[in-house]
Amino acid sequence: MQTILLVPTGRGIGLTSAGLGLIKALDYLGMKAGFMKPFLQDDSHDSQHTLDSSSDLTRLAFGLNPPESIPRERVEHMMNAGNVDDLMEEVVTNFHKLDDDYDVVVCEGLVPTEEVSYASQVNFALATALDAKVIFVSMADLENPKQLADKLDVHARIFGGLDGERTLGSILMRAKNVPNTFDTQPVAPGEAILQLDEDFIAAMQSHSPNFATEKFHLIGVVPFSNSLSVPRTWDIAQQLGATWLSEGEAKQRRVLKTSLTARTISRVGEIFTRGTLVVTPGDRDDLLLATAMATMNDIPMAGIVLTGGIIPNDAVINLCQPALKTGLPVMSVTTDSLETVTNLSTISNEIPKDDSERAEMVTRFVAAHLDLDWLKSYFERDYTPRLSPSAFRHQVVKKAQQVKKRVVLPEGEEPRTIEAAAICQSRGIAQCVLIGNAEEIAQVAKNRGVDLPEDIEIIDPANIDLNKYVKAFVERRKGKASEEQATEELQDNVVLGTTMLHLDEVDGLVSGAIHTTANTVRPAFQLIKTAPQYSLVSSIFFMLLPEQVVVYGDCAINPDPNAEQLAEIAIQSAASAKAFGIDPKVAMISYSTGASGTGDDVEKVKQATQIVRERAPNLMVDGPLQYDAASVLSVGKQKAPDSPVAGQANVFIFPDLNTGNTTYKAVQRSANVVSVGPMLQGLNKPVNDLSRGALVDDIVYTIALTAIQAASPDV
């Protein structure tokens, strides 16, 4: 499923119309298209510019069921708190409420306004979180190519420019002074494509060379149409805050023209035409009666707006009854005539959420002017999805919720651990088992304002019978420990938790918030031991880069693996990546690419790569590769043009612990990247170590990783 993000360059440009037209065009091509509006624009203080009808219109026009949008108030709260990642995770969660069988999902970005100054930042985060390609929607100011070029360039800059990897092109809306044949001769989608003047294209390209090229395609030029900008009389009344004297056919009649009238009847005959909305002071009984008579003569007037808060008397109303019975709408407003007309001039062109007729007209109109040949060719290309950090976090939580595993937390009295356990328990991420004193745990929770779920488990070592754990410990150690030694070892909660894991009383263990890596790992080596298909235990970090999630291994366990061991680390890491939704492309990292370098360290990586290919022939792997050749497409094409991995690797295997640990910490700190791990792999059962500086969220996701590992026998 691919995602297209429509990014608006301003207000009132026809963003919703562009979205409706694109969905129609995709449907015409035989692709099932969904829709999502992640955030409400929520300009509730401005009744004339709500901009939040898109989801309702897609329901009307296509029978879609978009997920609920997040209110602007919450967006601003999360942005102010610096919780953009959490906000995007909510978006991803909502995104996954869509049916899985959509080929394409059209997503509507935020409109930049004075009130929504953060729109660009949010739209960029959206594109990353949803792994979306970007189409810019802009007004087609064909009289000023420089201004249009500058506007597109400014909005594209955050996405890497017009030639950026994410940017596809633009749809230019409401273009004036271009042919519009559709109003008189409607045609099918893609059959009214407009070719812009060559001089205009040349002028645009002089300011923005990539405009209307393969790097930034001109997907559609949609002419301005008076027939599509016609509100219903009902919409006018809503936006004016009018009071109905007679609603009549207000929801069926459309306003083609507005006429402010205060002259005598003999001088206003030209106003009595189809679709005219008459605006007149409320005390002008003569004009009210004249409009009523025009209606009785089969002129379908749009309606009457009586200004100044003046209501005609009953005698006048009675004289108008025959016209009112034909459906003539009559409304009253408190503003004077001039102010009323001023208000009318600022009425939004957005399609109301219940105007299905207009939505259908606009949908067909826009779709007719889109380049269907280009759309078809684009969506037929090979598509390699990237797993964004937000999508990764969502996926981890969702998978953990599905497998329903028990995870023991030996550091049960540690405040961060208690809070994380409460979150995991309440969200159904795992059944958490805290080891510690129940009263102490309750007091810590109270001090931190944490409500402990009733079903969370607490095991107090002082109140359990250690005999079965002592027996299991001695038996597993095979004569390496006496009962007395086992009893002493089991005073350590990490050892106790690991023994519980060995006995299948729990499915996984997470520790390390206050213990060293050695404290956490040593009991696992002694009691859980290495899985039969592996000869060693290794580790990986999930690196949540801005654009995607990648895997680094081994960065925590093996100081200097030989070629055989390095190959096994690669196979383990690939299996882990796959278990967490990453299609592995493994790069064996070295200071040399291909045959460009020599030395023992390079030879080790070459040998390891060959071993991986022999043991896992279906795994996409290559090496030796320098980090830039593995991660940057342009460099990869230059240094390793025939490599299936170069430039697109997502699993990086480092030749030794020194390189791996240094690299992960350098990337983490210098690029401000979140890293999740280390996650141990190769054990019979999952045991995972925390950083002693771990945040509550770090512990939550480590618990989730552990639960998923418990359900994945190859990890």
Side-chain angles (χ1 to χ4, degrees), residues 81-138:
N83 293 331
V84 178
D85 290 342
D86 292 342
L87 180 63
M88 291 303 127
E89 191 176 342
E90 284 188 39
V91 170
V92 173
T93 299
N94 290 340
F95 179 84
H96 284 281
K97 293 177 182 177
L98 290 161
D99 292 338
D100 292 332
D101 58 348
Y102 286 122
D103 300 304
V104 185
V105 174
V106 177
C107 182
E108 190 175 294
L110 275 178
V111 179
T113 67
E114 289 184 7
E115 299 84 16
V116 190
S117 57
Y118 48 82
S120 292
Q121 181 185 354
V122 168
N123 288 338
F124 175 76
L126 276 175
T128 302
L130 300 176
D131 189 25
K133 299 295 187 181
V134 174
I135 295 175
F136 296 97
V137 183
S138 184

Side-chain angles (χ1 to χ4, degrees), residues 304-323:
I304 306 172
V305 182
L306 301 175
T307 66
I310 304 170
I311 308 296
N313 61 44
D314 290 343
V316 174
I317 296 291
N318 288 333
L319 288 171
C320 294
Q321 281 301 327

